[in-house]
Amino acid sequence: MVFKKLLGAFGIGGPSVDTVLHQDHVRPGGTVTGEVRIEGGSQDVVIERVALGLVTCVETEHGDREGSAGVEFHQVDVSGRLELAASESRVLPFELAVPWETPVTAVFGQPMPGMALGVRTELAVAKAVDKGDLDPLLVEPLPAQQRVLDAFGELGFQFKGADLEHGVLHGVAQRLPFFQEIEFFPPEQYAGRINEVELTFVAGAEGLTVVLEADKRGGFLSSGQDVFGRYEFSHQDALEADWTRLVADWLEQVAQRRGGMFGDHHGHHGHDGHRGPGMGGMVAGAALGAGAGIVGGMLIGEAVEEVFEGEEEEG
């Protein structure tokens, strides 16, 4: 992936930059490698700093107003001070470590609707700072996260949407100031009792936390309720867990019980070794339609275009 931008903050004749990513897919906790290629303009300049940042779009609330903002949630320096002569070319290799909590933005190579994430290059010359265009980066699920998504597909959930919410989850060791919600319509047998189910992953070097939230429909004499479940595993135990059974059991509890926090699990859950077709089996060899397709019950389509256009930026 390549972008090139005349750095307008530095005026006509200033340097230009290409950022080349060696791969456009990564997993949380992984590393993206590439090069920042800088070309000098019509005059010598001193570049104080070259940095790369990961930027995404987060839902925000200000009083009664709701909106979204582009947020840079991770940044690394590629270079410190360097002198660039007129018309000189520089190539700066880099390794960009991706935080474990980075949200999932693609499944089986298909962008997840509502999600967008990119790498932004920043150059500082004197007191001028130019934040370049975004180079899109797709973040695929960790193997254990994919197992959870497979379970949702096997159980008959239908993908509704995904977004990032500003804030932290109660009782979860969370480092980023936002969390992802992947929203699903429940299986048919729960229609009329549950509005939707939201899935959140919080990954770390030591393991994976999976948070489930169900929006229960209100009855004739009762209001609707949110019901939560939380599962904490090492990465290996999360990979081996029988997520189809875990999610099905939790969903049945939700349908039968009143709201509250329950289903807080730690450690290893065994499984019987049987896996249904899930998302993986249904995607293999399948041709998606133009821009969208059904993947194990999940609607996966094109990423939202120009998601950052005209949005407020937060540091």
Side-chain angles (χ1 to χ4, degrees):
M1 303 295 291
V2 181
F3 72 78
K4 185 170 184 178
K5 179 181 175 68
L6 179 65
L7 301 180
F10 309 142
I12 297 175
S16 62
V17 60
D18 291 348
T19 296
V20 180
L21 303 184
H22 292 162
Q23 65 269 60
D24 57 6
H25 288 67
V26 71
R27 285 175 171 167
T31 301
V32 177
T33 61
E35 298 174 342
V36 176
R37 302 171 181 174
I38 306 173
E39 294 183 6
S42 59
Q43 56 187 349
D44 298 350
V45 295
V46 176
I47 297 176
E48 301 293 342
R49 179 172 178 256
V50 181
L52 294 175
L54 292 176
V55 182
T56 191
C57 188
V58 178
E59 299 296 317
T60 60
E61 292 185 11
H62 300 283
D64 295 333
R65 297 178 57 189
E66 295 183 356
S68 60
V71 174
E72 183 177 83
F73 62 92
H74 182 60
Q75 188 179 88
V76 297
D77 285 345
V78 175
S79 172
R81 190 175 188 273
L82 62 89
E83 297 181 359
L84 185 71
S87 302
E88 180 185 1
S89 297
R90 290 285 188 98
V91 177
L92 306 175
F94 66 82
E95 292 186 356
L96 174 62
V98 176
W100 282 98
E101 292 179 29
T102 300
V104 174
T105 66
V107 180
F108 294 107
Q110 300 298 314
M112 182 180 293
M115 298 304 305
L117 187 144
V119 178
R120 182 170 61 192
T121 307
E122 178 181 307
L123 266 70
V125 176
K127 294 183 179 180
V129 177
D130 195 293
K131 296 182 177 181
D133 294 336
L134 288 173
D135 197 19
L137 180 66
L138 297 178
V139 182
E140 297 275 0
L142 292 165
Q145 293 173 329
Q146 185 62 61
R147 290 277 290 115
V148 180
L149 294 171
D150 285 344
F152 271 69
E154 291 173 2
L155 290 169
F157 284 86
Q158 296 291 321
F159 178 78
K160 177 184 178 183
D163 62 18
L164 301 178
E165 298 288 338
H166 188 271
V168 294
L169 295 164
H170 176 72
V172 177
Q174 183 181 332
R175 295 180 179 272
L176 295 183
F178 58 81
F179 56 91
Q180 183 177 28
E181 290 184 340
I182 306 174
E183 302 170 344
F184 299 88
F185 294 113
E188 286 187 7
Q189 61 267 36
Y190 298 100
R193 291 184 287 172
I194 299 174
N195 287 325
E196 65 180 50
V197 173
E198 296 174 349
L199 167 64
T200 294
F201 297 119
V202 181
E206 302 301 322
L208 176 67
T209 298
V210 177
V211 179
L212 305 176
E213 178 181 355
D215 178 15
K216 292 189 65 177
R217 290 183 182 271
F220 179 66
L221 297 176
S222 64
S223 60
Q225 304 165 345
D226 290 339
V227 187
F228 297 85
R230 186 178 68 194
Y231 302 83
E232 296 181 357
F233 295 91
S234 69
H235 286 290
Q236 186 61 38
D237 287 348
L239 187 61
E240 295 175 354
D242 184 353
W243 285 105
T244 302
R245 176 178 61 81
L246 290 175
V247 176
D249 289 349
W250 173 81
L251 198 60
E252 193 60 36
Q253 292 180 47
V254 170
Q256 296 177 5
R257 297 178 59 172
R258 291 183 176 273
M261 174 69 79
F262 65 88
D264 193 359
H265 302 279
H266 303 262
H268 175 73
H269 285 255
H271 63 90
D272 59 10
H274 173 73
R275 297 186 184 180
M279 294 177 63
M282 297 185 72
V283 165
L288 297 180
I294 297 297
V295 183
M298 296 180 62
L299 180 63
I300 304 298
E302 294 181 350
V304 177
E305 295 182 359
E306 307 296 339
V307 68
F308 300 105
E309 184 176 355
E311 290 175 347
E312 172 190 359
E313 292 183 356
E314 297 181 2

